[in-house]
């Protein structure tokens, strides 16, 4: 008790001031206060936190991207829908009638057609593309670089295999672009530099006003009859996107018909620029094929995964394991273990899981079917790949 007439503000606590009823030293008092603080604390809760918090952090690291993609309908609105133009075609219908069906007029002579691509390593797909378009293309324009979009040195694959494309040699404008090799730079920056260089190469190819320019990646293949229609018809849109059938790994795994980035331009000098984004609201239905990651060798899959602009999708090194890649291909699963990139929960849920196999090889590029022994790996029922 304090002496009479004296005041103390210090609180008294029997647990914290003594142990077993004896006066305590400062060290023992500190321990006593700790016991006091922990009195009534459930150590099972502490253990759960010690185990649970790291596990939650690991789950976020491993699957955070999936959560983000699944919740996409909440934080991102879908783009404005395209105005889809019906596409009419039958090989027995005259060009005059085909043009009339689309509301266009037939020309006296066809426009010239320029097919321009940035090339990485898709030799087989390029061969299919150019053979599909060869009867209708006036000039092939190809640019390749010694650098991937991610700044990795690569061979000039087209230059080394140019003999495979002798049929197009007389109509080929070929160019190379020296990579900038900027470490740590966003891959889309290097991609944009290469597209600007392709723009210059197109002009070197002597394109003129009102010529048709095809802007698409190598694996976005317009059908030959689509290009023939657009070169023979007048009053077609100045810019027109193409709706392509979306395939993954081969023509066995049909994903959807939502590929739209390929576009056709009636060239305007000083205005037309090579691009790979949405440039108009008009979309011509059922105009070809987009065969993404359609490679012969497992090594080519790993190369593209590390080379293209979405390299950030490789969250773990084991994604590049050859055995895993082969297993993913045959199951029709996703190489990057991602959820579908859709804007509604209904569409996301509908696409969850592996892509079902299709056994139809109808209306595929003619050169593929004429040379099926060479390209059998692209046909249904042939998912096994060579190692490379």
């Amino acid at each position: 008790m304090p002496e009479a007439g004296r005041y103390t503000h210090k609180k008294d606590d029997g647990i914290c001031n003594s142990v077993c009823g004896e006066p305590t030293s400062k060290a023992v008092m500190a321990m006593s206060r700790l016991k006091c603080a922990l009195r009534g604390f459930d150590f099972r809760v502490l253990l759960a936190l010690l185990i649970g918090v790291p596990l939650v952090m690991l789950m976020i690291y491993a699957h955070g991207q999936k959560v983000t993609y699944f919740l996409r309908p909440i934080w991102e609105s879908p783009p404005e829908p395209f105005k889809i133009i019906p596409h009419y075609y039958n090989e027995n219908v005259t060009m005059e009638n085909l043009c009339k069906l689309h509301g266009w007029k037939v020309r006296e002579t066809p426009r010239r057609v320029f097919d321009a691509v940035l090339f990485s390593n898709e030799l087989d797909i390029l061969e299919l593309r150019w053979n599909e378009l060869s009867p209708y293309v006036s000039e092939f324009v190809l640019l390749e670089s010694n650098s991937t979009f991610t700044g990795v040195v690569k061979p000039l694959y087209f230059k080394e295999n140019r003999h495979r494309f002798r049929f197009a040699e007389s109509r080929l404008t070929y160019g190379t672009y020296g990579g900038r090799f900027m470490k740590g730079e966003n891959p889309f920056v290097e991609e944009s530099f290469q597209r600007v260089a392709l723009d210059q190469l197109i002009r070197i190819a002597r394109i003129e006003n009102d010529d048709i320019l095809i802007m698409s990646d190598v694996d976005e293949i317009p059908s030959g009859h689509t290009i023939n229609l657009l070169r023979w018809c007048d009053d077609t849109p100045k810019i027109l996107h193409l709706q392509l059938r979306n395939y993954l790994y081969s023509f066995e795994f049909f994903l959807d018909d939502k590929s739209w980035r390929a576009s056709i331009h009636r060239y305007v000098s000083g205005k037309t620029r090579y691009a790979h984004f949405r440039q108009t609201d008009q979309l011509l239905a059922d105009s070809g094929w987009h065969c993404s990651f359609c490679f012969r060798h497992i090594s080519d899959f790993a190369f593209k995964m590390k080379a293209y602009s979405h390299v950030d999708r490789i969250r773990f090194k084991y994604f590049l394991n050859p055995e895993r890649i082969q297993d993913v291909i045959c199951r029709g699963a996703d190489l990057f273990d991602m959820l579908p990139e859709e804007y509604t929960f209904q569409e996301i849920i509908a696409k969850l899981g592996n892509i079902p196999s299709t056994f139809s090889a109808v209306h595929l590029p003619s050169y593929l079917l004429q040379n099926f022994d060479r390209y059998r790996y692209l046909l249904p029922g042939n998912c096994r790949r060579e190692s490379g």
Side-chain angles (χ1 to χ4, degrees):
M1 295 289 294
E3 298 178 6
R6 294 186 63 187
Y7 169 76
T8 177
H9 66 275
K10 192 172 183 180
K11 292 183 178 180
D12 216 14
D13 191 326
I15 295 177
C16 298
N17 284 343
S18 64
V19 179
C20 298
E22 299 295 330
T24 60
S25 66
K26 290 183 179 181
V28 176
M29 186 181 295
M31 290 297 297
S32 299
R33 290 184 182 279
L34 179 60
K35 290 179 182 179
C36 179
L38 294 177
R39 185 174 56 181
F41 187 85
D42 193 340
F43 280 92
R44 288 174 296 181
V45 174
L46 178 62
L47 184 62
L49 288 173
L50 290 174
I51 296 175
V53 171
L55 282 177
V56 170
M57 293 177 68
L58 180 62
M59 291 292 290
I60 291 174
Y61 176 75
H63 301 289
Q65 190 179 61
K66 288 186 176 181
V67 174
T68 301
Y69 272 69
F70 186 77
L71 298 179
R72 186 180 190 180
I74 296 176
W75 54 264
E76 187 173 356
S77 300
E80 289 295 320
F82 281 98
K83 297 174 182 176
I84 299 179
I85 300 174
H87 189 175
Y88 304 94
Y89 173 71
N90 185 284
E91 59 186 7
N92 296 318
V93 179
T94 65
M95 185 57 66
E96 182 179 7
N97 283 337
L98 287 175
C99 290
K100 286 181 179 179
L101 280 166
H102 292 85
W104 305 326
K105 298 177 181 178
V106 70
R107 294 167 55 91
E108 292 184 2
T109 57
R111 294 184 182 89
R112 294 196 305 165
V113 177
F114 287 69
D115 180 36
V117 294
L118 283 177
F119 183 78
S120 178
N121 67 326
E122 312 96 327
L123 289 165
D124 283 357
I125 292 297
L126 182 67
E127 199 165 28
L128 293 181
R129 177 193 182 98
W130 280 6
N131 276 281
E132 174 72 18
L133 298 178
S134 184
Y136 318 106
V137 169
S138 308
E139 190 75 13
F140 294 103
V141 183
L142 184 145
L143 178 75
E144 72 171 331
S145 174
N146 62 344
S147 169
T148 67
F149 293 157
T150 53
V152 177
V153 177
K154 78 171 189 67
L156 297 175
Y157 289 107
F158 180 84
K159 184 177 181 180
E160 294 175 359
N161 293 273
R162 194 162 175 167
H163 60 277
R164 290 177 57 174
F165 303 92
R166 289 195 185 101
F167 66 93
E169 190 65 44
S170 63
R171 296 173 286 157
L172 174 60
T173 300
Y174 170 71
T176 58
Y177 174 83
R180 295 160 54 250
F181 302 107
M182 303 293 289
K183 291 185 178 180
E185 184 178 67
N186 188 319
F188 287 100
V189 176
E190 176 65 22
E191 180 178 347
S192 66
F193 271 94
Q194 293 191 24
R195 293 194 186 279
V196 170
L198 180 55
D199 222 11
Q200 297 170 351
L201 191 63
I202 292 168
R203 291 194 291 272
I204 292 173
R206 298 183 179 180
I207 195 169
E208 298 177 357
N209 285 337
D210 208 41
D211 287 340
I212 287 180
L213 174 61
I214 305 173
M215 295 186 189
S216 70
D217 287 348
V218 172
D219 57 7
E220 298 167 338
I221 308 174
S223 60
H225 67 78
T226 297
I227 301 304
N228 197 34
L229 175 75
L230 295 173
R231 75 184 186 128
W232 269 106
C233 295
D234 249 341
D235 304 322
T236 58
K238 296 288 186 181
I239 303 175
L240 185 62
H241 281 287
L242 303 181
Q243 181 190 52
L244 307 180
R245 292 174 60 84
N246 233 345
Y247 292 89
L248 193 61
Y249 311 139
S250 72
F251 291 101
E252 176 175 350
F253 298 106
F254 172 64
L255 183 60
D256 56 35
D257 58 0
K258 293 185 178 182
S259 178
W260 55 265
R261 291 185 178 274
S263 59
I264 305 295
H265 298 246
R266 288 168 56 186
Y267 190 81
V268 179
S269 180
K271 184 177 180 181
T272 303
R273 293 288 182 270
Y274 195 93
H276 200 235
F277 50 76
R278 183 166 175 169
Q279 302 174 70
T280 182
D281 292 334
Q282 295 183 294
L283 180 72
L284 183 62
D286 199 6
S287 299
W289 314 269
H290 181 190
C291 199
S292 184
F293 280 92
C294 292
F295 294 113
R296 182 187 299 272
H297 302 109
I298 293 294
S299 58
D300 291 330
F301 285 84
F303 173 83
K304 180 170 181 177
M305 291 171 73
K306 294 183 292 184
Y308 84 143
S309 297
H310 296 288
V311 67
D312 59 301
R313 294 177 178 178
I314 306 176
R315 304 193 308 280
F316 305 101
K317 287 185 178 180
Y318 79 86
F319 279 10
L320 300 172
N321 180 281
E323 293 181 0
R324 175 190 175 273
I325 292 174
Q326 179 61 82
D327 177 66
V328 165
I329 294 168
C330 286
R331 288 190 293 112
D334 191 276
L335 281 170
F336 302 98
D337 194 24
M338 293 172 56
L339 291 183
E341 298 182 76
E342 298 294 347
Y343 293 95
T344 68
F345 289 115
Q346 181 180 6
E347 290 175 314
I348 291 173
I349 292 171
K351 285 188 176 181
L352 288 176
N354 300 340
I355 305 171
S357 296
T358 177
F359 298 98
S360 172
V362 178
H363 301 306
L364 296 182
S366 60
Y367 190 78
L368 167 63
L369 298 179
Q370 289 169 356
N371 297 274
F372 63 89
D373 278 336
R374 289 179 57 195
Y375 303 108
R376 190 177 294 275
Y377 72 94
L378 291 174
L379 296 174
N382 297 277
C383 69
R384 303 300 301 179
R385 294 295 190 268
E386 301 171 25
S387 61

